[in-house]
Amino acid sequence: MSFAKHGRASSTRGVKNLNIVVVSPEKFGNTAADIVQRVTENTEAPNITFPTGDSPLPLYRELVNRYQHGKLSLANVQAFGLDEWGELEPGHPIRCISRMKTQLYSETDIPVEQIYYLEPNTDDLDVHCEAYDKRIADMGGLTLSILGIGINGHIGFNEPGSKATVRTRKIQLADRTLNVSQKYGFDKTPSWGVTLGLATLLESKEILILATGAHKAEIVHLTVNGPETSDVPSSLMRRHPNCTLLLDEAAAQLLKK
Ligand code: F6R
């Protein structure tokens, strides 16, 4: 594997199918938005998962910017929330759906009736999760899964130990996830969440994984070069035939040049 370090995107095929793209922080949002725009323009009604967290923020800023300048429409997008915290009441500002509305949905032309999300406060959560997967399947499966990586390798809230065969479900959050999530300013950090399962994500036509910053360098290295194992769920994404790992230079620093 090799990659060049420069201002433009450099791309290489890593372990198995991973398409590794390294860009400067300034180009990160633009490069990710190009991928999303290509999918939205080439697909009649793309089903797209949207993660929260820091990694997708440059992407969301760029999508909003393009929409505001009349260069992009997301009107045909069917938007699926990737995961959600348990124990927070509907409308809580830290909820993933609340942040997605603020950062992207309400700032673009995605119709509200095309926005789907996981609702943890449901009488029968198993039934709700099954219905979420079924809705995706009935709509033709995911077109593009946009994902971040937790420092422990989690994908969505598929924490270490999650197998490639798991579907949407309730999950106990790992200690490292709970520590990192202090950045959201919880009064009391939820101990569990709900997440789209790895199997549903791996069935997506295309996957885009975003990682930025030096604190992600170690897990990016393990994702690319470590063993393919459910101990590091992000490593399981390598088996997907059309997966791009978009990194800034800091996140890519431990990959072999
Ligand atoms: C959030 C999510 C998580 C994050 C991951 C990285 O909806 O699914 O898997 O993508 O924890 O978070 P950031 O981007 O904040 O480093």
Side-chain angles (χ1 to χ4, degrees):
M1 182 183 65
S2 68
F3 69 92
K5 189 180 166 196
H6 48 58
R8 289 184 301 113
S10 60
S11 175
T12 185
R13 293 273 152 189
V15 178
K16 284 199 180 166
N17 302 304
L18 266 191
N19 178 33
I20 302 169
V21 179
V22 183
V23 294
S24 65
E26 297 73 32
K27 301 248 164 96
F28 192 84
N30 216 39
T31 307
D34 283 349
I35 294 172
V36 175
Q37 181 150 11
R38 181 209 356 109
V39 168
T40 59
E41 288 179 352
N42 293 331
T43 317
E44 201 177 320
N47 302 323
I48 303 182
T49 65
F50 291 98
T52 54
D54 296 331
S55 314
L57 291 179
L59 163 65
Y60 297 160
R61 279 195 290 269
E62 180 57 22
L63 291 176
V64 171
N65 177 51
R66 289 183 189 191
Y67 168 69
Q68 286 173 345
H69 288 86
K71 295 178 182 163
L72 166 86
S73 169
L74 299 179
N76 62 341
V77 168
Q78 309 288 327
F80 287 88
L82 179 60
D83 46 18
E84 189 55 270
W85 302 101
E87 299 169 19
L88 298 181
E89 71 273 11
H92 193 292
I94 302 178
R95 269 198 173 206
C96 297
I97 180 60
S98 304
R99 283 181 292 137
M100 281 312 307
K101 281 183 184 161
T102 315
Q103 293 163 6
L104 184 72
Y105 298 160
S106 304
E107 300 300 312
T108 59
D109 58 347
I110 302 181
V112 280
E113 63 275 16
Q114 290 170 208
I115 294 170
Y116 307 95
Y117 55 94
L118 289 159
E119 176 47 71
N121 292 348
T122 304
D123 283 346
D124 195 331
L125 194 47
D126 290 344
V127 170
H128 176 71
C129 291
E130 211 174 300
Y132 201 69
D133 278 332
K134 184 170 183 317
R135 182 190 291 277
I136 290 172
D138 289 349
M139 288 167 67
L142 294 168
T143 316
L144 174 67
S145 291
I146 307 171
L147 306 168
I149 309 181
I151 53 165
N152 63 355
H154 74 201
I155 290 287
F157 282 148
N158 291 283
E159 298 285 17
S162 300
K163 296 204 168 77
T165 49
V166 290
R167 296 285 169 183
T168 300
R169 68 208 185 286
K170 176 179 179 178
I171 186 163
Q172 284 306 120
L173 298 172
D175 287 346
R176 290 183 83 186
T177 300
L178 296 176
N179 289 337
V180 172
S181 66
Q182 297 307 325
K183 68 182 177 186
Y184 295 115
F186 288 108
D187 291 334
K188 181 178 174 295
T189 311
S191 61
W192 59 275
V194 191
T195 185
L196 256 171
L198 293 175
T200 306
L201 296 171
L202 282 165
E203 286 162 4
S204 183
K205 289 193 181 62
E206 183 169 352
I207 295 177
L208 171 62
I209 306 179
L210 308 171
T212 57
H215 65 299
K216 292 288 173 76
E218 181 66 38
I219 192 60
V220 163
H221 172 60
L222 271 179
T223 299
V224 174
N225 297 314
E228 193 179 306
T229 166
S230 56
D231 291 343
V232 182
S234 50
S235 69
L236 301 175
M237 298 292 119
R238 295 194 321 229
R239 60 181 64 178
H240 192 277
N242 189 12
C243 178
T244 297
L245 179 57
L246 178 60
L247 308 170
D248 69 0
E249 291 145 345
Q253 65 185 275
L254 296 181
L255 300 182
K256 285 197 209 87
K257 304 252 179 341

